Amino acid sequence: MTIHPSSGGYVEVDGAKLYYESSGSGPAVVFVHAGIADSSMWDEQFEALAGEYKVVRYDMRNFGQTVADEAAFADWEDLDALLHALSIDSAVIIGASMGATVAVGLALERPELVRGLVLIAPGIFPGHEPSGELRRGWRSLSQALDSGNVDRALDIELDMWVDRAGHRPTPASEAVRQQIRRMNARAYELASDAPNRRPLKPPALTRLAHITVPTLIITGSHDMPDIATIARRLERGIANSRTVVVPDSAHLVNMEQPQAVNQLLLDFLHRQISETGGVDQA
């Protein structure tokens, strides 16, 4: 694989300094990470797309290397500010899990900035009725955190989102498991479940018909059943959308099956750019 030079630093927004990295040149593609991860979850995609696109990834507030105070914030507003600071007029936004909810929020609130969406294992949107399995997982997680047992909490999250004990025939690689655990541990350290995070209003699930850009939804075959339910709801609500299920993967599909996801992304971007005459360059 060709290693493309990258640059980065911090973008100041209200109450935070968002850490970001950028590489490549051409049409802009921006990655938004999951809630159990940080921007390093995109390592494989960042390199794979930098040969044709200007790729940007960043750590959301209370994740990774971003520095933040306790000011109230909305994640989609931070993404808006990042694009503005980097002089990106519009981009394809690729979000995973929680990052997918942020991408949808930006598409609803600042549609002129979004030329396409890729929603990987789209997260738990407000208005979704959690399954019994998800409720049990959350209950166990809360008990572990309330007792101060962070190691136990990390084990529970890995079981819920990666290991999927009893639900998948082959396990995720140990390297992937350990990277996810490290990223999630950092999120706990920074209290990423911040009470000062402002939700999108009105909720996204009530406004999906307003999203008109081409949208690719990607899910893992062994993910939590709630994710497949949310993906179906998004596909029904977003007119120009389709869903692809990637075999032998759970929640962080792009980490478990990077080659398959990279090809899906490149195919989508090639079609999107040819059909729209190009995504604006930064």
Side-chain angles (χ1 to χ4, degrees), residues 83-96:
L83 296 180
H84 178 76
L86 299 181
S87 300
I88 295 175
D89 294 329
S90 66
V92 172
I93 310 296
I94 302 175

Side-chain angles (χ1 to χ4, degrees), residues 30 32 42 55-56 81 86 112 120 130 137 142 156 162 169-170 175 200 240 258:
V30 180
V32 193
W42 300 113
V55 291
V56 176
L86 299 181
E112 70 279 5
I120 300 177
S142 294
I156 292 168
V162 183
T170 55
L200 188 68
N240 193 5

Side-chain angles (χ1 to χ4, degrees), residues 99-277:
T101 70
V102 177
V104 167
L106 186 71
L108 288 169
E109 297 295 322
R110 294 289 186 272
E112 70 279 5
L113 297 177
V114 180
R115 298 293 295 272
L117 288 172
V118 180
L119 310 176
I120 300 177
I124 309 302
F125 284 78
H128 168 72
E129 182 64 29
S131 67
E133 182 180 354
L134 183 56
R135 288 182 186 277
R136 289 190 295 274
W138 281 346
R139 186 163 54 248
S140 296
L141 190 61
S142 294
Q143 291 170 351
L145 291 173
D146 288 347
S147 66
N149 193 340
V150 174
D151 283 341
R152 174 60 181 154
L154 291 170
D155 287 341
I156 292 168
E157 295 245 52
L158 273 175
D159 185 61
M160 289 175 65
W161 302 113
V162 183
D163 295 337
R164 303 290 296 131
H167 296 281
R168 58 183 304 174
T170 55
S173 75
E174 190 59 26
V176 166
R177 293 182 75 259
Q178 291 306 315
Q179 183 181 354
I180 293 171
R181 188 182 183 92
R182 286 194 300 272
M183 292 186 294
N184 202 19
R186 176 62 172 164
Y188 279 140
E189 181 183 342
L190 295 174
S192 59
D193 189 18
N196 50 332
R197 176 177 281 109
R198 290 189 283 106
L200 188 68
K201 293 183 178 181
L205 291 181
T206 68
R207 295 193 279 159
L208 296 177
H210 294 288
I211 298 176
T212 59
V213 294
T215 300
L216 173 63
I217 303 164
I218 300 174
T219 62
S221 58
H222 304 307
D223 203 347
M224 187 78 71
D226 295 73
I227 304 305
T229 299
I230 291 167
R232 288 191 294 270
R233 187 163 180 180
L234 292 172
E235 187 175 27
R236 288 195 303 268
I238 301 172
N240 193 5
S241 66
R242 68 184 184 98
T243 300
V244 175
V245 180
V246 176
D248 198 23
S249 58
H251 196 54
L252 296 191
V253 191
N254 66 297
M255 294 182 67
E256 289 198 41
Q257 300 293 343
Q259 292 183 344
V261 171
N262 291 352
Q263 192 59 58
L264 288 170
L265 296 180
L266 288 168
D267 290 347
F268 175 81
L269 290 168
H270 291 161
R271 284 196 306 273
Q272 166 65 357
I273 289 168
S274 65
E275 291 174 2
T276 64

